[in-house]
Amino acid sequence: MSGSQSSLREANRALIVETVHRHGGLTQVELAGSTGLSAATVSTIVKELLAAGVVDTRNTTRSGRRAQMVTIAHRVGLAVGVHIGPRHMRIALGDVMNEVVAEQTLPLPNEHRLDTSLDRAALLVADLLERVGSTLDEVVGIGIGLPAPVDSATGMVSVRGIMRGWDEVHVGHVLSKRLGCPVFVDNDANLGALAESTHGASRAYRDSVYVRASHGTGAGIVIGGQVHRGFGGTAGEIGHVQVDPQGDICRCGSRGCLDTVVGGPALLEPLRSSHGTLALRDVIQRAIDGDPGCARVVADAGSIIGEVVSGLATAVNPQCIVVGGELAETGELLLGPLREAIRQRVLLNQIAPLEVVPAELGQRAEVVGALELVLRSTDFVVRSDEQARSADERAGEEEATH
């Protein structure tokens, strides 16, 4: 009986932590409403979590009455991760242990403007900080992922035309001025590679490739545990490898790039006559639900992407290829043909066969990578509780000897 009660208590603790994590911050009354647990149970568990350092609490006001706000505890400061995609923005706050304490997504219009998008990012950052009871003073840095090659030295998009209206703009400088924090900018596939190799599917390997299949296709390359960006940041830009010499003109100015064949518009066009006007999100969901036409489009994309990735894999010889991005949500519909295309073209290594696996972090990979970029680019020291106790003990011993 006691074992059952213990399991129930652990389940309730996990439910409360997950609910606070999802919303950023809730009062105990709101927690009871969201979880279905009694107010007394919530109060008891919150006290336990507070004592364990899992959550923080602070007084607030709701409808004119005092209440206690519960937020995930963060240590030493906060990092902000921002992923600005072609049609969405995702922002996360993380502590220095790369634990996400709050996050939010926002849809963006096609061809969204730089100034409007950065304004929205700044507002969302302020909103998330308010939700967890923090201020910009606690932010140690902001990482931004863009769907374009980025020159890490300047934080600028390094190839003209890929993000119209974003050329020749120091994105990091602009946002740093608005928020007063250091800002670090990188390509989103590089950040996905950083996240998956640090916290996800390829963390057991020193050499890996992360493929982001979405409105466009890109790759992040990790060699010896470090992201390889190349001179000017164009390493891994497989979306601009030519696959059809007679194909459409790409944004980059070349003809028949991979993105013109498996990018968002190219995936939607073959379905127009049979399915009408769809968004990429619709195609993905219908493919998952078993629509044969949408599944065919996704499978064909997997084969073509696999052909291009096989060339990259032959050149780099990674131990693992991780596939992420929206299209990866279709699972084996995309991965099966992609894996088969690679198997047919990459030299079989009997010692260490090439693994092709789905991303563990899913749609959060890029924003988690942005948080990791901040933590790796910021000069501060994080001490564990054990390290802190050891330091205190040494200090006590030194006092005793004087």
Side-chain angles (χ1 to χ4, degrees):
M1 188 70 175
S2 61
S4 299
Q5 290 177 340
S6 176
S7 298
L8 178 61
R9 179 172 291 275
E10 284 304 311
N12 288 342
R13 283 167 60 100
L15 176 60
I16 286 177
V17 171
E18 193 277 331
T19 304
V20 174
H21 200 289
R22 186 171 66 248
H23 292 280
L26 292 172
T27 66
Q28 293 200 35
V29 172
E30 291 167 340
L31 262 176
S34 295
T35 61
L37 300 174
S38 69
T41 298
V42 169
S43 177
T44 300
I45 292 177
V46 166
K47 287 177 183 176
E48 293 173 356
L49 294 172
L50 180 64
V54 177
V55 301
D56 287 330
T57 60
R58 62 183 173 86
N59 292 328
T60 187
T61 303
R62 283 286 193 272
S63 304
R65 304 180 67 177
R66 292 188 65 188
Q68 194 170 56
M69 178 69 74
V70 183
T71 60
I72 297 295
H74 51 266
R75 312 170 183 86
V76 185
L78 288 170
V80 178
V82 181
H83 179 209
I84 300 176
R87 301 302 298 270
H88 86 284
M89 178 187 302
R90 183 186 294 267
I91 295 184
L93 301 182
D95 65 17
V96 297
M97 306 303 289
N98 211 321
E99 288 291 326
V100 175
V101 298
E103 64 182 310
Q104 187 168 333
T105 58
L106 177 75
L108 295 174
N110 191 31
E111 303 285 356
H112 51 86
R113 291 162 48 96
L114 178 142
D115 52 353
T116 306
S117 297
L118 294 185
D119 282 341
R120 287 172 173 161
L123 289 171
L124 279 177
V125 169
D127 179 59
L128 283 184
L129 287 169
E130 185 177 350
R131 278 167 51 185
V132 301
S134 299
T135 65
L136 281 167
D137 292 339
E138 296 179 68
V139 174
V140 298
I142 299 172
I144 300 180
L146 300 178
V150 173
D151 177 11
S152 58
T154 62
M156 296 172 62
V157 174
S158 58
V159 177
R160 293 185 61 85
I162 293 179
M163 290 186 72
R164 294 191 181 110
W166 293 64
D167 298 324
E168 299 177 3
V169 177
H170 288 75
V171 176
H173 292 179
V174 172
L175 200 57
S176 180
K177 265 188 159 183
R178 296 187 188 186
L179 294 176
C181 306
V183 177
F184 311 95
V185 188
D186 204 345
N187 168 259
D188 57 2
N190 286 344
L191 294 181
L194 177 61
E196 290 289 339
S197 65
T198 306
H199 307 284
S202 55
R203 60 185 176 275
Y205 304 103
R206 288 184 56 77
D207 302 324
S208 62
V209 168
Y210 173 80
V211 177
R212 175 172 169 76
S214 180
H215 293 270
T217 304
I221 304 167
V222 176
I223 299 176
Q226 301 295 319
V227 176
H228 174 70
R229 297 175 173 87
F231 183 73
T234 59
E237 284 296 318
I238 61 172
H240 301 284
V241 171
Q242 188 183 70
V243 295
D244 181 4
Q246 307 304 317
D248 294 337
I249 299 297
C250 180
R251 284 170 173 260
C252 70
S254 297
R255 184 183 291 279
C257 293
L258 178 63
D259 275 355
T260 68
V261 177
V262 301
L267 293 179
L268 302 179
E269 186 57 37
L271 295 165
R272 196 175 303 279
S273 59
S274 58
H275 291 67
T277 302
L278 298 176
L280 183 61
R281 184 78 256 163
D282 301 326
V283 174
I284 292 168
Q285 190 57 54
R286 291 193 186 194
I288 294 171
D289 293 340
D291 182 290
C294 292
R296 179 73 269 158
V297 164
V298 170
D300 289 346
S303 292
I304 298 168
I305 293 170
E307 291 176 13
V308 174
V309 172
S310 66
L312 178 60
T314 299
V316 175
N317 187 26
Q319 299 162 282
C320 178
I321 292 175
V322 181
V323 185
E326 283 92 336
L327 286 180
E329 293 178 26
T330 61
E332 285 300 309
L333 288 176
L334 178 80
L335 260 68
L338 192 155
R339 187 183 291 116
E340 179 60 20
I342 291 173
R343 188 192 67 79
Q344 291 179 4
R345 292 168 177 81
V346 176
L347 289 171
L348 294 178
N349 186 330
Q350 301 300 326
I351 298 173
L354 178 60
E355 301 277 348
V356 180
V357 298
E360 281 188 14
L361 300 175
Q363 294 305 305
R364 300 173 78 195
E366 289 74 23
V367 80
V368 170
L371 293 173
E372 184 68 26
L373 178 65
V374 172
L375 299 181
R376 293 189 178 199
S377 305
T378 306
D379 184 23
F380 59 90
V381 177
V382 182
R383 297 190 305 174
S384 68
D385 293 340
E386 289 75 13
Q387 288 173 317
R389 281 198 295 271
S390 297
D392 291 341
E393 289 167 2
R394 285 197 300 272
E397 290 170 0
E398 288 175 4
E399 280 187 19
T401 58
H402 289 300

